[in-house]
């Protein structure tokens, strides 16, 4: 009885933890692949989980900040989805690489051509953004998530300093400090990433070789020990037979 009560209590506690933690990870979010440095360019992913058991996510609309407009937004194709980039006139033109930009992206919309994001799954929607602003630490996007049953969830609430996370928080992209040469464009941001990848490959490969060698040595030792054990058993059997 005590064991069953403990099991039931543990199951209830685990369920309550899942229920309480659900809103913390189930909302639409945005994150950068690598660094999103001020004044540079970055590739970001909008992550869209499906929160419903009986409907699929069929549309995602992301509105871009008007206080820090972005002139360059390039989507990456996503299988099973179409994408539309909407631009709007700027009240104050931007200057980028010596040229004045009078329009900036105001919204990006992804629409499913098939089943969309089904229950129990999530989808990432990649974008290349630039030039990132230098006078803010973050960019706040507002997203609308539409389900196949026509329900629309508005991820538009802005997190206030010192306050609890809202029920429907807007996706926020944190910007890191500007790096040297960030005005050179995307190529300056890609070189360190390639170097880091090469270092990572080397670091991972070395333990793999050593572990393979160790495995072979242990295999040989195991065979030797096994043979010795068989020989010992045979000798022991002969001694008993002799006696």
């Amino acid at each position: 009885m005590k064991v069953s009560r403990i099991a039931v209590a543990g199951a209830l506690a685990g369920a309550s933890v899942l229920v309480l933690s659900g809103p913390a990870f189930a909302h639409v979010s945005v994150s950068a692949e690598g660094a999103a440095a001020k004044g540079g360019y970055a590739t970001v992913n909008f992550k869209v989980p499906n929160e419903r058991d009986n409907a699929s996510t069929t549309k995602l609309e992301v509105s871009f900040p008007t206080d820090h407009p972005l002139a360059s937004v390039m989507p990456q194709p996503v299988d099973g989805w179409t994408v539309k980039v909407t631009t709007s006139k700027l009240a104050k033109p931007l200057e980028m690489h010596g040229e004045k930009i009078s329009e900036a992206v105001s919204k990006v919309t992804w629409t499913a051509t098939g089943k969309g994001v089904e229950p129990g799954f999530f989808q990432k929607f990649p974008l290349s953004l630039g030039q990132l602003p230098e006078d803010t630490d973050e960019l706040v996007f507002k997203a609308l998530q539409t389900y196949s049953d026509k329900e629309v969830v508005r991820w538009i609430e802005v997190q206030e300093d010192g306050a609890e996370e809202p029920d429907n928080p807007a996706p926020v992209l944190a910007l890191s400090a500007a790096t040297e040469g960030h005005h050179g464009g995307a190529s300056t941001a890609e070189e360190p990433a390639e170097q880091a990848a090469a270092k990572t490959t080397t670091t991972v490969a070395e333990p793999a070789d050593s572990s393979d060698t160790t495995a072979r040595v242990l295999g040989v030792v195991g065979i030797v020990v096994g043979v010795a054990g068989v020989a010992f058993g045979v000798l022991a059997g002969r001694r008993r037979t002799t006696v």
Side-chain angles (χ1 to χ4, degrees):
M1 292 294 292
K2 289 183 178 180
V3 173
S4 61
R5 289 178 181 176
I6 293 173
V8 171
L12 291 174
S16 63
V17 169
L18 289 176
V19 171
L20 292 175
S21 62
F25 65 83
H27 55 73
V28 174
S29 60
V30 60
S31 59
E33 294 183 3
K38 299 177 182 180
Y41 291 78
T43 298
V44 303
N45 288 297
F46 284 90
K47 183 179 179 181
V48 181
N50 193 323
E51 295 183 300
R52 303 293 178 262
D53 296 327
N54 55 359
S56 298
T57 296
T58 57
K59 189 176 183 180
L60 175 67
E61 300 172 77
V62 177
S63 295
F64 280 63
T66 56
D67 54 344
H68 295 97
L70 298 174
S72 176
V73 176
M74 185 179 298
Q76 177 178 322
V78 178
D79 290 340
W81 295 79
T82 61
V83 59
K84 179 183 178 181
V85 179
T86 303
T87 59
S88 299
K89 291 283 186 180
L90 294 175
K92 183 179 180 181
L94 295 174
E95 186 171 342
M96 181 179 295
H97 304 305
E99 297 182 3
K100 287 189 176 182
I101 307 297
S102 59
E103 290 185 343
V105 173
S106 57
K107 184 170 65 174
V108 177
T109 305
W110 289 269
T111 305
T113 57
K115 295 181 179 180
V117 186
E118 298 184 82
F121 292 88
F122 72 88
Q123 178 68 54
K124 288 183 178 181
F125 298 92
L127 290 176
S128 175
L129 307 179
Q131 186 172 351
L132 299 176
E134 300 183 59
D135 57 348
T136 183
D137 294 327
E138 62 183 23
L139 290 176
V140 179
F141 301 86
K142 295 185 178 182
L144 301 182
Q145 182 179 10
T146 302
Y147 286 90
S148 55
D149 59 2
K150 307 305 180 183
E151 178 190 7
V152 178
V153 181
R154 303 169 63 84
W155 304 100
I156 61 174
E157 298 177 8
V158 180
Q159 174 74 52
E160 300 293 341
D161 293 338
E164 294 183 358
E165 183 181 51
D167 294 333
N168 296 91
V172 177
L173 176 66
L175 303 182
S176 60
T179 57
E180 293 184 5
H182 65 262
H183 293 291
S187 60
T188 58
E190 293 172 358
E191 185 175 0
E194 294 174 355
Q195 293 176 354
K199 292 179 181 179
T200 302
T201 303
T202 302
T203 304
V204 172
E206 289 176 356
D209 294 340
S210 61
S211 61
D212 183 58
T213 302
T214 302
R216 292 178 182 177
V217 172
L218 291 176
V220 174
V221 172
I223 293 173
V224 173
V225 172
V227 172
V230 172
F232 179 78
V234 172
L235 292 175
R238 290 180 178 177
R239 289 178 181 177
R240 290 177 183 177
T241 302
T242 304
V243 174

